[in-house]
Amino acid sequence: MNTNYRISGFSFWAIIGCTLLLDGLQFFLTLTIIGSVAAFFLGLIGGIALWLTFTLHGVKYSGTRGLKKIASTFGTLVLEVIPFINALPLITIGAYILIQQTRAEDREKQQQEMAVAQQQREQQLAQARAQQAANDAAEEELLSAEAA
């Protein structure tokens, strides 16, 4: 099954690459006291940019899995505020989790759409068979009327 993801392969790797770069910069900035302050603001700006990127890709923080997305995003942001913990690649991990949650939503939506399409095809087939049966009955009735 070929799923159309809101965050495609290219976008996935671009987001992961940028978050790895951001986390790498944060790691090196965290090694100094002044850098820790800069790392905090860098993480904040990166988080906003990541939120904007996800929003532009149609990711919503509401719906069936909205609470999980909010929890993972909030958890990442809380951990990013803690000095020296923010040296870990938390933004990358948070982005990866959010992308996987979004892709699971996309797969679920496509499966639902396929189920609805299958149901509609079955209904159309049943209607076509009923119409064919009615046509056959009418034709048989005409033939028997002509024969009589």
Side-chain angles (χ1 to χ4, degrees), residues 137-148:
E139 186 178 334
E140 191 174 306
E141 189 178 307
L142 279 173
L143 289 174
S144 63
E146 287 178 1

Side-chain angles (χ1 to χ4, degrees), residues 73-148:
T73 302
F74 184 72
T76 300
L77 292 176
V78 166
L79 291 173
E80 279 291 327
V81 172
I82 302 170
F84 301 107
I85 298 289
N86 66 352
L88 299 173
L90 298 172
I91 294 177
T92 302
I93 293 168
Y96 180 80
I97 290 170
L98 195 58
I99 290 169
Q100 293 308 316
Q101 290 171 341
T102 302
R103 285 183 166 194
E105 279 181 3
D106 293 344
R107 283 189 297 272
E108 183 179 306
K109 181 180 177 184
Q110 186 169 3
Q111 287 172 351
Q112 289 174 349
E113 289 172 353
M114 288 175 56
V116 167
Q118 179 66 27
Q119 188 178 29
Q120 289 174 345
R121 282 192 297 270
E122 288 173 0
Q123 288 175 349
Q124 289 172 348
L125 185 59
Q127 288 173 350
R129 286 182 180 152
Q131 183 65 38
Q132 184 63 38
N135 289 345
D136 289 347
E139 186 178 334
E140 191 174 306
E141 189 178 307
L142 279 173
L143 289 174
S144 63
E146 287 178 1

Side-chain angles (χ1 to χ4, degrees), residues 13-32:
W13 289 111
I15 290 169
I16 295 300
C18 289
T19 56
L20 280 171
L21 180 65
L22 180 66
D23 280 329
L25 285 171
Q26 278 189 310
F27 174 77
F28 288 113
L29 287 172
T30 303
L31 298 176
T32 65

